[in-house]
Amino acid sequence: MMTEYTPEEMMIVEVSRRIPDGSVCFVGVGRPTLAAGLARSTRAPNVTLVFESGAIGAKPTRPPHSIADSELAETADFVVSTPEMFAYWLGGGHIDIGILGAAQIDRHGNINSTVVGPYDRPTVRLPGAGGAPEIAGASTATFVMAPHQARIFVPKLDFRTTIGRGDRAQDRADLGLPGVGVQLVVTDLCVMEFDPTSAELVLTRLHQGIEVDEVRRANGWDLKIAADVDRTAPPTEYEISSLRTFITTAPPSSNKTALDLPA
Amino acid sequence: MAIKVSLTDAISELVADGASLAIEGFSHLVPFAAGHEILRQDLKELELVRLVPDILYDQMLGVGACRRLVFGWAGNPGLGLLPRFRAAVEHEVPRRVELEEHTHAGLCAAYVAGASNLPFAMIRGYFGTGLEPPRPGVEAIICPFNGERLAAIRAVRPDVAIIHAQQADREGNVMLWGILGVQKEAVLAARHVLVTVEEIVEHLTPVAGAVILPRWVIDYVAVVPGGAYPSYAQGYYARDDAFYEQWTEISRDQERFDGWMQEHVLGVPDFAAHLRSLHRPTMTDAA
């Protein structure tokens, strides 16, 4: 009997399968860490996790609350400063795969994490760029993970924070950005990859039980569909149990307790 | 150099209205005690620089102490948005804040340039995005050797840098370890430096990956045990995750935020009293 799983888990499992063993992966908290961590604990034990906070080779036993969690520093092969991280490790070209989320993403994989509405008087002020532009700018390839919703997959970004492909296939080269940029977008409904000529996202694989119409309705622009759309394989028992074990692991006992507040 | 003083005296000596301050900590060793003392002394019109503005800067913006914010990513790490930062930007509440916004790479490079006594840094980025020049602190520059267009980012040179560290020795040499973000660069880029520490030790025993800051780059050291609470201090105490989760609720609107700040920060004499106050039922808990 097949294991039950959620669309969210399917998204994480599919991304984990795309991470080759031995890759150096730059990840944020949440889904990217779950996907790269799952790859590491299943088929790709030599994956190196890199966090913007400076932890290189971190081996979290449970999902970190933030990129600066003490377990990341404690389990890392080494910890570097943030300037060093951006200059040498990202800028220097040592990151194989960057994995990002997106508040808004357009058909060329460009991402907005800055504002909803106009910049000078936004309706929602989002956190801003952070490391995302350099992660997508300097990694050899970048994956994006996000729930498939029309408010996220938008025809036009309110602000372009991070370049995925730009506007045309030539844009990244013109801007001096190495790597292919955003290469893969995985949602809770499907997988999308890029047409190399138009630099536009194309639906290539549907998760089990999802049909093209459902994806179209969840997408804010008229999504291109590949001629030969196939299906992702459902998560195996091994993948699901590894993922759930990671998510539900209790904090390591070596953590000192929170500051004892005076009575 | 590296004179040991009370936190109150250090702030009153170093920080004036209108100053440019870098109060750094990448979710670790965040100088909450120092930040609170700045608010307690009613300092205003500040330019605040921070790679990752978090709860502390949400508090400082919410009190209205900040005129201008230089930053890379303003949020509650792992949890989402900062309500008071949003209110300031979306509604100019309690006052308008001017923003100089960067990527982490750009602002880190700007700190490095400042620490190197150079007028600008250069990075490959900004073009083709909403942050492309011309904008405050960012211009285009052409490499004189290969003709490549790069972004020039004006150096960050704060009047004062404030960090929290685990240890200082009796001479005022400081050691910090764990996730250090851009703390060292902020210290070396600033004109004046305050370090708050967990404790004074006889000797700084080397820790793998630690940064040592010699006493001759530090103006003042203040001993403030727990001074990074609710963030953590590697080797001393863990992050209070529950507090970070509660922050969205506490700061959800100006009135509730003001009440909490008065009860726990502005209306108490010092950081030790702040920590004690968090054990007392508050008007916001009862609401």
Side-chain angles (χ1 to χ4, degrees):
Chain A
M1 186 174 117
M2 273 208 336
T3 315
E4 297 273 334
Y5 58 92
T6 65
E8 174 82 15
E9 287 173 327
M10 183 66 240
M11 179 181 7
I12 294 165
V13 166
E14 182 60 18
V15 173
S16 80
R17 293 168 176 162
R18 301 295 197 113
I19 299 171
D21 197 15
S23 302
V24 179
C25 293
F26 200 113
V27 290
V29 289
R31 298 177 181 114
T33 298
L34 297 178
L38 179 61
R40 216 183 126 251
S41 68
T42 53
R43 356 160 328 272
N46 301 300
V47 162
T48 300
L49 300 187
V50 177
F51 290 82
E52 191 176 272
S53 49
I56 295 185
K59 302 167 193 60
T61 58
R62 59 191 266 271
H65 286 272
S66 88
I67 56 173
D69 273 17
S70 61
E71 197 195 18
L72 298 179
E74 283 160 8
T75 60
D77 295 332
F78 56 102
V79 177
V80 303
S81 72
T82 310
E84 179 177 327
M85 177 60 74
F86 282 97
Y88 302 172
W89 302 97
L90 264 167
H94 300 286
I95 305 301
D96 297 314
I97 299 174
I99 311 180
L100 299 174
Q104 287 181 346
I105 181 169
D106 69 17
R107 74 190 73 204
H108 297 293
N110 306 309
I111 297 170
N112 174 18
S113 58
T114 301
V115 288
V116 177
Y119 183 78
D120 290 320
R121 200 53 178 251
T123 44
V124 184
R125 172 66 231 210
L126 301 171
E134 273 66 36
I135 295 165
S139 300
T140 303
T142 298
F143 300 170
V144 177
M145 304 172 72
H148 214 132
Q149 296 168 11
R151 70 185 178 88
I152 296 176
F153 289 83
V154 295
K156 188 174 185 324
L157 300 179
D158 289 1
F159 188 92
R160 183 181 293 179
T161 311
T162 295
I163 296 172
R165 297 273 170 140
D167 296 302
R168 308 166 308 125
Q170 183 56 21
D171 277 1
R172 284 185 67 94
D174 286 348
L175 289 166
L177 298 177
V180 299
V182 176
Q183 182 184 67
L184 175 74
V185 179
V186 180
T187 76
D188 49 351
L189 300 183
C190 69
V191 175
M192 291 170 281
E193 292 165 276
F194 284 86
D195 177 314
T197 314
S198 66
E200 196 174 325
L201 281 169
V202 176
L203 170 64
T204 55
R205 316 186 84 190
L206 292 163
H207 297 323
Q208 301 290 326
I210 307 296
E211 299 305 332
V212 170
D213 279 349
E214 187 177 351
V215 178
R216 283 192 184 284
R217 280 195 307 274
N219 205 76
W221 71 87
D222 184 18
L223 181 63
K224 298 238 179 332
I225 315 292
D228 51 348
V229 176
D230 60 14
R231 295 255 173 222
T232 56
T236 63
E237 173 75 45
Y238 178 44
E239 287 168 324
I240 281 294
S241 67
S242 298
L243 178 58
R244 290 175 184 170
T245 301
F246 181 70
I247 289 171
T248 56
T249 300
S253 58
S254 63
N255 261 6
K256 288 187 156 60
T257 52
L259 184 66
D260 269 318
L261 299 178
Chain B
M1 293 262 173
I3 303 165
K4 183 161 157 291
V5 297
S6 71
L7 178 57
T8 309
D9 286 350
I11 297 296
S12 89
E13 284 292 318
L14 288 181
V15 185
D17 286 345
S20 170
L21 304 182
I23 309 174
E24 276 296 348
F26 200 111
S27 267
H28 171 228
L29 296 175
V30 179
F32 274 88
H36 287 180
E37 183 58 26
I38 289 168
L39 300 180
R40 222 173 270 121
Q41 292 190 24
D42 201 27
L43 288 151
K44 293 217 166 332
E45 300 292 320
L46 302 171
E47 176 184 78
L48 295 180
V49 186
R50 181 85 180 274
L51 193 63
V52 182
D54 61 357
I55 290 177
L56 176 61
Y57 272 41
D58 208 38
Q59 292 171 346
M60 300 182 82
L61 260 70
V63 164
C66 177
R67 171 187 60 84
R68 187 169 196 273
L69 180 67
V70 180
F71 74 105
W73 189 93
N76 192 350
L79 290 167
L81 306 181
L82 291 172
R84 299 293 98 218
F85 165 68
R86 283 189 60 190
V89 176
E90 293 168 19
H91 303 292
E92 301 189 355
V93 165
R95 58 159 294 164
R96 187 173 170 273
V97 175
E98 189 187 325
L99 300 182
E100 181 178 317
E101 180 156 14
H102 288 285
T103 68
H104 277 358
L107 187 48
C108 282
Y111 268 124
V112 170
S116 310
N117 197 24
L118 289 168
F120 73 91
M122 68 180 167
I123 64 158
R124 185 175 288 116
Y126 286 65
F127 295 102
T129 77
L131 290 186
E132 66 185 354
R135 68 185 291 111
V138 186
E139 296 286 345
I141 194 165
I142 303 297
C143 172
F145 301 107
N146 72 1
E148 185 179 354
R149 184 184 62 166
L150 297 160
I153 316 289
R154 183 176 50 215
V156 166
R157 302 298 313 259
D159 295 321
V160 186
I162 302 176
I163 65 166
H164 188 72
Q166 286 95 337
Q167 296 176 353
D169 65 17
R170 299 200 183 285
E171 284 71 51
N173 302 299
V174 161
M175 185 166 75
L176 54 161
W177 67 91
I179 286 169
L180 299 181
V182 74
Q183 287 165 251
K184 174 179 179 176
E185 287 75 12
V187 161
L188 296 177
R191 271 183 269 284
H192 296 288
V193 176
L194 163 63
V195 183
T196 55
V197 295
E198 291 294 323
E199 60 172 340
I200 303 285
V201 297
E202 280 302 315
H203 300 290
L204 298 176
T205 305
V207 171
V211 161
I212 304 273
L213 295 168
R215 67 190 187 284
W216 34 270
V217 299
I218 299 168
D219 290 275
Y220 293 116
V221 172
V223 182
V224 190
Y229 177 88
S231 81
Y232 71 105
Q234 189 87 21
Y236 285 73
Y237 46 91
R239 191 170 180 252
D240 185 346
D241 290 324
F243 184 90
Y244 277 76
E245 282 161 27
Q246 285 156 21
W247 182 250
T248 310
E249 194 50 36
I250 291 168
S251 63
R252 182 189 44 170
D253 59 69
Q254 190 72 44
E255 198 186 324
R256 179 164 183 164
F257 166 81
D258 286 342
W260 191 92
M261 288 297 290
Q262 186 57 37
E263 174 108 20
H264 294 290
V265 179
L266 302 174
V268 298
D270 56 27
F271 199 69
H274 163 68
L275 295 180
R276 283 194 300 274
S277 81
L278 292 172
H279 262 188
R280 263 204 333 252
T282 67
M283 66 175 192
T284 49
D285 282 346

